[in-house]
Amino acid sequence: MKFTWSWLNDFIIPKGTPQDLAQRLTESGTETQVSDLYAGLAEFEIGQIKSITPHPNAHSLNLCTVNTSKGSVTVVCGASNLRLGMWGVLMRPGQYLPGDNIPLAPTTIRGIESPGMLCSEKELNLEGIFYSSSSEGILEIPENSPIKDTLYPLLPKDWLFDSEVTTNRGDLMSVFGIARELVALEVAQWRDPIWPNPLCQAVSLDTVSVPEIHITTSLCLQFHMARVQQDPQRPYRAPAWVNRRLRDIHKSLSQDVVNGLTYYTHSFGTPFHVFDAQTLSPPLVLECLSTETSFLALTQGETPGEPIHLSPGMLVLKDQKNVLTLSGILGGETSKYQPSSTTLYIEAAEFDAKTISLAGQKLRLMTSARRVFERGIDGRNLKEHLIQALKWMGFSQINLYTARSPNPNVQREISLSVNYFVKFTGCTVLTAREMSRRLTCLGFEVRTALEPTESGEHNEILTVTPPPWRKDIEGAPDLIEEILRFKGWYQEVPFTAPLLSCIPPLSLLQMHIQQGRTYLMHQGLGEAVTWSFISAHKAKEFSDIDSSSLKEMTLINPISQDMAVMRPSILPNLVDLALWHAHKHLQVQGRFEGGPVFFTGHPKGQKTVMSGVLPERLPPAWGRQDYFSFFHLKQLVNGLCMLWGEAPRYIEAQLPWMHPGQCAHIWIKDVCIGFMGKIHPRLTEEYPLMAFEVDPAQYPLPFAPKLSISPLQPIEKDLSFFLDKGSIGDFLYAFKQQDSELIEVCLVDCFKKEGRTSISIRCTFQPQHRSWSGEEIHHRLELLVGWAYKNGASLRGNALFSHLLS
């Protein structure tokens, strides 16, 4: 629901700024945003025309030199009201016209470049703002105006409101309804005393025949049809300010009669529909369809109308030839109003809101009429609104026919006790008197009475009659909502902490999965979540299931052929993810996933596994090797399994989807819990990928101690030794045992020189409690070098530790 500040001020005198009123509406349950209506025109310049010369290549165009505060510019203009010395509005390239999403670009018109344009009042949507300007041609700024550098200071201050009206608040689907809500919330007062009851009941009409109308359904609550004559020489013209206001709220304009009725509808919330009398073939019938029917919809803007297939149960108005309207939603092309029409029929009706909503949902049609009708309109004075709208538009001879009169309003009374209010909300600060005052402000009629209780005390009872325009009020909870939203949504309700629910403990498998996720993420792998379905081709490539099991795992109605089989392995999806990054020339990251895989079509034929895929070349990161080998993968799987209880053993395996000679089964005691190794190159398009897949449910061992991960950065230092005796492996194993915070010793280089074995190793230290100083790091290295010297290894090429060798 959109409206402007000036439009709202036709009804009320506000007691605050536009922002204050928008905030008050939001607090009361109708989220509202407000913005400056003319903010888009802030940069448009005011300029004076200093010279006008004919265009050398076009008789109807001129070259106009316009002086502005930023200098002179020559533009091409074809307006008929050009004259020397007049002031106009200059639009520069890159600026936008109101309602246009395409910026102005420098153009060449008949061989002459035009770096801008002089704008008309219609293009700027300022019709009626400058009353001294010409209705044709460019906008002329009056000479008595306080000339400024830009247009914005000359414009009236106005704001655009955009309210998200909830589906139960049909009374807010008009400017009058918004005004009534603001008056009820005590942030405005009526501008004129007649506005709460704007219509006169005494209406005198000429009795002239109108088309015969038959209503065959109870889903039409009331129906009125007015007939008016229009002089073809003097047709109705919608005032410029009416069209401007409709464009301000982004309404598309149509014929003048339709625009005038649209304006009235948006003001008071009473929808109308206009027919061309010459196109009708009476009698007219309003009915609920019993068979499928085709209907040619009304043209929307520049989009031609399309045939719509209507289903049984939808409300339509038809004549002897065609379906004229889809009642409450959309008009038809065959009976639409034409400017040349002399006799018009204007319909005002009230329909069952639920029927309109269901029809719109089924046809996927959302129109302004549907938004109003499906929320429910206030049909009390529908006929009077029709007469007032036509008289406001200037039609003097009005003939009215009522095909169905409205049912008399049934007074609905709802009881609300103060004790129930307190029990329902926990709010004890509101008295019955304050509740009654708030409901009265909102239009409710309230009576208060005392009722004795079993404890001997008296309980106050409010007997409330909702106003006719609030059809959404059905019970005591609705009244409580109205009372609380009066001062802002539930600001007066005390906070109550929710009851803590008992969370069941995790199963052993869930704990394995949770601990495994934490461990793998700390190792630099990112978690992925992929589909549980793959293609049949990939299911065969990455598993050894037989044809019968594969058939059981095939979906009857798959989303696509690429997702036709329940996955027997997670690896195909992770491989596809890695290859997608490689094809996009992006860095391939290590990824893992914990989720279900399937081995039969039986409901119990699944298990939960953890799988991971890593590239052989890892992205650079602090404290790790760039190259990821089979042995690094073994170290990763070791850590994962040790987290669950014990390091596994590995037995060479031959799996069709794994690289021969670089694949192993993972065993815990006598149970095979998975596999690891390098994926076969034919499945990875020669891109080297390492993978593992383990089944945590097959791990029967108890948990190992909690994994301790230091928040401090590891420290790497390189050392080189001449190793004169013993094996390299024994030396490195013993070397690592000399410092508890030396977490890794990696052999970087090894070669023979002068009959001696030269090795280079990378030592990774992991501080646990605090960062180390340079002296502490040097001292630890000094101890390690000293140990190596005593065990047959001499330091190579480092003068810092030469004193240890003497």
Side-chain angles (χ1 to χ4, degrees):
M1 173 64 192
K2 295 181 180 180
F3 55 95
T4 61
W5 177 251
S6 57
W7 199 340
L8 185 63
N9 282 336
D10 288 347
F11 296 92
I12 60 172
I13 301 175
K15 298 180 181 179
T17 64
Q19 291 74 19
D20 294 337
L21 268 62
Q23 182 179 357
R24 193 70 185 88
L25 285 171
T26 300
E27 291 175 349
S28 68
T30 304
E31 184 176 353
T32 303
Q33 297 180 351
V34 62
S35 59
D36 191 334
L37 182 62
Y38 298 118
L41 303 178
E43 301 299 326
F44 282 55
E45 301 174 57
I46 299 294
Q48 189 176 27
I49 300 177
K50 289 300 184 181
S51 67
I52 303 175
T53 58
H55 194 292
N57 302 322
H59 297 292
S60 60
L61 299 178
N62 296 294
L63 303 181
C64 304
T65 300
V66 184
N67 284 359
T68 69
S69 60
K70 298 181 180 180
S72 298
V73 62
T74 301
V75 298
V76 179
C77 183
S80 59
N81 63 334
L82 284 175
R83 60 181 177 81
L84 289 175
M86 71 179 295
W87 292 83
V89 180
L90 178 66
M91 180 182 180
R92 299 277 191 174
Q95 296 176 342
Y96 295 81
L97 286 173
D100 197 351
N101 296 324
I102 302 176
L104 180 67
T107 57
T108 301
I109 303 176
R110 294 291 184 92
I112 302 296
E113 185 178 356
S114 180
M117 63 177 286
L118 292 169
C119 303
S120 68
E121 62 178 3
K122 185 174 182 179
E123 291 170 329
L124 298 172
N125 195 28
L126 297 177
E127 292 177 289
I129 297 293
F130 299 94
Y131 294 101
S132 61
S133 64
S134 172
S135 59
E136 300 293 336
I138 64 172
L139 171 62
E140 181 178 359
I141 303 299
E143 294 182 359
N144 59 355
S145 299
I147 303 299
K148 304 291 183 180
D149 294 338
T150 59
L151 174 64
Y152 185 77
L154 304 181
L155 299 176
K157 296 299 181 183
D158 208 349
W159 288 265
L160 176 65
F161 291 77
D162 189 355
S163 296
E164 293 289 338
V165 179
T166 55
T167 54
N168 65 317
R169 296 300 304 274
D171 59 303
L172 298 183
M173 293 299 292
S174 65
V175 181
F176 176 77
I178 295 289
R180 179 172 53 199
E181 181 81 353
L182 292 171
V183 172
L185 295 175
E186 301 178 334
V187 292
Q189 65 184 45
W190 291 111
R191 183 169 293 277
D192 194 305
I194 69 170
W195 281 123
N197 299 286
L199 302 177
C200 178
Q201 299 295 330
V203 180
S204 59
L205 303 172
D206 297 328
T207 56
V208 180
S209 62
V210 296
E212 185 179 359
I213 302 171
H214 302 287
I215 299 177
T216 63
T217 175
S218 61
L219 298 176
C220 175
L221 307 181
Q222 58 176 311
F223 191 95
H224 312 280
M225 183 77 84
R227 171 182 173 177
V228 296
Q229 296 292 128
Q230 182 173 236
D231 186 354
Q233 304 300 323
R234 300 177 59 188
Y236 169 77
R237 297 293 183 216
W241 60 270
V242 168
N243 292 335
R244 172 168 53 82
R245 281 186 172 179
L246 291 177
R247 283 194 294 264
D248 285 340
I249 61 173
H250 308 147
K251 288 277 189 181
S252 58
L253 298 185
S254 181
Q255 308 295 345
D256 284 277
V257 171
V258 178
N259 293 342
L261 291 173
T262 300
Y263 178 84
Y264 190 92
T265 296
H266 203 76
S267 295
F268 291 99
T270 52
F272 306 112
H273 189 76
V274 186
F275 300 91
D276 184 352
Q278 284 84 352
T279 64
L280 303 183
S281 300
L284 307 183
V285 179
L286 180 64
E287 67 176 12
C288 189
L289 286 177
S290 58
T291 60
E292 292 188 358
T293 306
S294 182
F295 166 64
L296 183 60
L298 188 66
T299 299
Q300 300 290 324
E302 299 180 356
T303 304
E306 297 181 356
I308 298 176
H309 299 288
L310 305 181
S311 303
M314 296 182 181
L315 281 174
V316 297
L317 178 67
K318 62 181 184 180
D319 61 7
Q320 292 183 346
K321 296 181 180 179
N322 305 299
V323 174
L324 304 178
T325 65
L326 176 59
S327 297
I329 298 179
L330 188 63
E333 182 70 19
T334 57
S335 61
K336 72 176 182 179
Y337 163 75
Q338 300 288 349
S340 59
S341 302
T342 57
T343 304
L344 308 178
Y345 292 133
I346 296 92
E347 166 205 304
E350 182 181 6
F351 306 106
D352 179 67
K354 185 177 180 180
T355 302
I356 301 301
S357 179
L358 291 176
Q361 292 177 32
K362 190 168 186 179
L363 297 174
R364 297 183 179 180
L365 287 175
M366 178 54 74
T367 62
S368 57
R370 176 192 163 186
R371 289 189 181 94
V372 176
F373 275 112
E374 71 180 357
R375 286 170 168 83
I377 67 172
D378 181 9
R380 289 175 302 159
N381 300 315
L382 188 59
K383 180 176 70 173
E384 288 75 15
H385 273 296
L386 175 59
I387 300 304
Q388 178 170 282
L390 295 176
K391 286 188 173 182
W392 170 73
M393 294 172 65
F395 294 107
S396 57
Q397 185 177 4
I398 304 172
N399 318 118
L400 185 68
Y401 173 72
T402 298
R404 174 165 291 177
S405 299
N407 295 324
N409 291 326
V410 178
Q411 296 292 326
R412 300 168 294 147
E413 290 189 347
I414 303 172
S415 295
L416 172 64
S417 72
V418 175
N419 289 348
Y420 177 77
F421 177 87
V422 174
K423 182 179 179 180
F424 194 92
T425 65
C427 179
T428 59
V429 298
L430 296 181
T431 63
R433 183 176 181 179
E434 175 62 16
M435 296 179 194
S436 177
R437 186 189 74 83
R438 293 185 181 186
L439 291 174
T440 302
C441 289
L442 293 169
F444 295 79
E445 296 180 6
V446 186
R447 302 194 313 271
T448 307
L450 292 177
E451 180 182 82
T453 62
E454 296 179 357
S455 61
E457 299 179 356
H458 287 81
N459 180 26
E460 293 182 279
I461 304 295
L462 306 181
T463 303
V464 183
T465 302
W469 61 86
R470 291 302 303 274
K471 298 183 178 181
D472 58 309
I473 304 298
E474 298 179 352
D478 297 324
L479 298 179
I480 293 174
E481 183 178 350
E482 293 298 303
I483 294 171
L484 292 177
R485 76 179 185 86
F486 190 85
K487 289 295 185 182
W489 278 100
Y490 303 112
Q491 293 182 6
E492 297 162 321
V493 177
F495 171 76
T496 303
L499 295 177
L500 295 177
S501 59
C502 182
I503 302 175
L506 297 179
S507 66
L508 184 62
L509 175 61
Q510 291 172 331
M511 296 178 70
H512 280 166
I513 293 292
Q514 190 178 49
Q515 294 258 344
R517 290 177 64 250
T518 303
Y519 168 77
L520 292 174
M521 283 190 286
H522 276 295
Q523 295 301 315
L525 279 72
E527 185 174 15
V529 179
T530 62
W531 293 101
S532 295
F533 310 102
I534 59 176
S535 65
H537 175 68
K538 288 184 179 178
K540 294 178 182 178
E541 285 188 330
F542 281 88
S543 69
D544 52 4
I545 59 175
D546 53 26
S547 300
S548 61
S549 298
L550 183 64
K551 186 176 181 180
E552 291 179 0
M553 294 161 54
T554 302
L555 303 181
I556 298 177
N557 186 23
I559 299 175
S560 66
Q561 290 303 314
D562 290 338
M563 303 176 66
V565 177
M566 296 186 294
R567 63 184 182 188
S569 173
I570 301 178
L571 292 184
N573 292 335
L574 296 180
V575 169
D576 286 347
L577 181 61
L579 294 180
W580 183 89
H581 282 81
H583 294 159
K584 296 292 184 180
H585 303 288
L586 302 174
Q587 182 65 56
V588 179
Q589 305 282 345
R591 291 288 186 269
F592 78 92
E593 179 178 358
V597 296
F598 307 88
F599 48 90
T600 68
H602 192 272
K604 294 184 178 180
Q606 71 179 63
K607 59 183 179 181
T608 301
V609 302
M610 297 200 72
S611 300
V613 169
L614 301 97
E616 281 193 350
R617 290 292 179 181
L618 294 175
W622 185 274
R624 76 174 180 199
Q625 298 284 346
D626 295 343
Y627 180 75
F628 195 82
S629 67
F630 179 89
F631 298 100
H632 291 102
L633 180 62
K634 180 181 176 182
Q635 181 184 15
L636 178 70
V637 174
N638 268 347
L640 180 62
C641 293
M642 290 178 67
L643 183 66
W644 296 334
E646 183 178 299
R649 57 191 177 92
Y650 303 90
I651 298 177
E652 184 179 355
Q654 297 292 331
L655 299 176
W657 59 92
M658 302 299 288
H659 195 293
Q662 297 191 42
C663 171
H665 277 135
I666 307 171
W667 288 78
I668 295 293
K669 296 185 177 179
D670 297 330
V671 180
C672 179
I673 67 168
F675 60 88
M676 55 153 289
K678 186 175 181 180
I679 301 178
H680 201 290
R682 64 179 171 81
L683 301 178
T684 61
E685 303 176 8
E686 302 295 335
Y687 190 89
L689 292 175
M690 312 296 293
F692 68 89
E693 187 166 283
V694 294
D695 181 4
Q698 298 296 326
Y699 222 105
L701 302 177
F703 284 105
K706 184 178 178 181
L707 181 65
S708 176
I709 299 175
S710 173
L712 303 174
Q713 291 281 9
I715 301 170
E716 288 187 351
K717 293 296 180 180
D718 290 352
L719 296 173
S720 297
F721 294 97
F722 283 117
L723 189 61
D724 296 327
K725 62 181 181 179
S727 66
I728 299 176
D730 292 339
F731 174 79
L732 296 181
Y733 179 81
F735 188 87
K736 186 177 181 300
Q737 309 306 315
Q738 304 309 307
D739 193 325
S740 61
E741 293 178 294
L742 177 60
I743 62 172
E744 185 176 9
V745 178
C746 179
L747 181 63
V748 178
D749 191 16
C750 177
F751 62 92
K752 294 286 186 179
K753 183 178 181 182
E754 300 176 357
R756 307 176 70 186
T757 301
S758 175
I759 61 173
S760 296
I761 61 175
R762 180 165 298 162
C763 304
T764 303
F765 298 90
Q766 178 60 70
Q768 294 296 327
H769 306 293
R770 60 179 179 82
S771 299
W772 295 344
S773 65
E775 291 78 6
E776 289 177 310
I777 297 173
H778 182 82
H779 177 67
R780 287 178 179 270
L781 291 176
E782 188 177 46
L783 294 177
L784 291 174
V785 171
W787 175 88
Y789 179 72
K790 294 177 182 178
N791 288 271
S794 56
L795 192 66
R796 177 167 59 88
N798 194 322
L800 289 176
F801 303 105
S802 58
H803 62 282
L804 299 175
L805 310 179
S806 58

